[in-house]
Amino acid sequence: MNYIIFGGSSFIGTHLIHLLKSDCVKQGDKIYDLDIVMPGEEGVVPGIVEKNEGVEYVRLDVRKPIDFDFTPTPDDIIFNLAAVHRTPGHKDYEYFETNIRGAENVTAFAEKYGIKKLLFTSSIAPYGPGEDEKFEDTLPTPESAYGISKLVAEKIHEKWQVQDKSRELTIVRPGIVYGKGEHGNMTRLYKGQKGHYFVYTGRKDTIKACAYVKELCLFFKYRMIDNSFPGIDLYNCTFEPAYNIQQICETMQKATGMKRHIPLIPGGLLMTAARILGPIGGKKVGIHPARVKKLMVSTNISGVKLSESGYKFHYTLEESFKDWFEDCNGECLE
C-alpha cells in the first residue's frame, strides 16, 4: 500500500512520516512525501535537513493538477496536510490559491486513482474568534482569509466523499499544534518565559486549545490505519478540557525545570507597545499587534467528541512538554 502525504515536509508531516516508518510500514509499502519544498530547504521544518531512508520525495505544487509516478493499490491512504497557514504572514489570495485549489487537486487525484481513504487537516480558524466554547456542530463564522479558505477546503473534501459512500474522510481541526520543530506559538511562549520577556496580556485565563504533534499523528493512525470509518467525520483535536494560558505556562515551566515569575500587564498598554515595536523588529520576539491580539482572545475549542471517540490519549499536557524537552536533549523547546 501507499501512504501519500501532501505537505509531508511540513512540521506535522515530518512527525507523521517518523510514526509511519516506526510503527506502520510493512514490506512492500511505500511512503510518498509530496511537497513544494524538500527537507533541508528554506521554508521547511528547522533542524530537519536530511531525507528519510525509504521515503519517496516528490517536488509537487498542489496548486497545479497532480500526478506522479506510483503504482496505486486498493489500500492507499492520503493525508492532505498541504496548506498556507501562518497568520500573519501571507496575502489573502495566497491562502485561497493554495488551500482551495489544493483541495480541488488533491481530491481530483484521489478520484482518478480510486483512493478511498483521505484525512484532511483543517484548522480551528473556520470557527472565527470569540470566547464561547466551540463544538464540531458550531456554526462556522470565519473572519480571516485563512479561516474562509480552510472552510471551503473542507466542503471540497466533503463533496468528494459523498460521491461514493464507501469513501472514508476524516477532517481534523487541531488547536495549537506543538512539538519539536514547531518554531511557532509554543516555542515563542517558552523562549519568552526563559528570556523574561513574556507577560500575561490583560488576563491569565485566556483559553488556548492545543494538541501535541505526536498525539495528533497517533490519532491520524487510529482513524486511517488501525480502523475503518466509511463516511465523513469531523474532529476538534485538542485536550479536553482545554487549558488556559496560565496553566500552560506553569506546566511548561514544571516540565522543563524552569522557574519564572510572569507579570500581568494591561492589554491596552502592550498593544500600544506592539504597534510601535512591531514594524521595527518586534515580530521576532512576538511583539507584533496580531500576535498580541491572539494572546488576548481565547481559542475555546471543545475536545469532548475526540475524548469520547474511543481514542485513548498517550500524553498528558505535562508529559507532552517533557517528551518534547527530551527530544531537544533536555536543553530547550524548539
Side-chain angles (χ1 to χ4, degrees), residues 113-260:
Y113 288 102
I115 299 171
K116 294 194 172 186
K117 300 188 75 167
L118 196 160
L119 182 142
F120 172 59
T121 53
S122 184
S123 166
I124 58 174
Y127 289 122
E131 295 295 315
D132 293 342
E133 189 172 18
K134 311 296 195 305
F135 300 86
E136 286 82 355
D137 60 356
T138 297
L139 179 67
T141 54
E143 293 187 0
S144 66
Y146 173 57
I148 295 167
S149 70
K150 277 296 195 180
L151 183 60
V152 174
E154 288 183 8
K155 300 306 177 185
I156 292 169
H157 285 83
E158 290 173 3
K159 179 182 177 182
W160 165 81
Q161 193 283 327
V162 297
Q163 293 172 343
D164 183 340
K165 298 297 184 182
S166 67
R167 293 173 178 168
E168 301 181 29
L169 173 64
T170 296
I171 299 173
V172 296
R173 290 176 175 170
I176 300 167
V177 184
Y178 62 91
K180 185 177 181 181
E182 176 234 12
H183 289 256
N185 293 324
M186 285 292 196
T187 303
R188 283 191 290 269
L189 180 62
Y190 170 77
K191 290 182 176 179
Q193 291 177 86
K194 190 173 183 179
H196 298 275
Y197 57 81
F198 175 77
V199 297
Y200 293 122
T201 55
R203 54 190 290 201
K204 298 181 180 182
D205 62 349
T206 311
I207 295 173
K208 291 296 176 184
C210 56
Y212 187 37
V213 66
K214 291 185 182 180
E215 195 76 71
L216 186 64
C217 291
L218 286 165
F219 180 65
F220 291 178
K221 177 177 178 288
Y222 168 82
R223 287 289 303 184
M224 307 306 292
I225 300 170
D226 297 341
N227 294 282
S228 181
F229 300 98
I232 301 172
D233 226 334
L234 168 67
Y235 285 93
N236 295 332
C237 289
T238 180
F239 285 107
E240 176 58 32
Y243 293 98
N244 64 43
I245 190 67
Q246 183 177 13
Q247 292 170 321
I248 292 171
C249 288
E250 291 176 351
T251 304
M252 183 179 283
Q253 290 191 27
K254 181 180 179 182
T256 61
M258 187 198 314
K259 292 184 179 180
R260 295 289 187 273

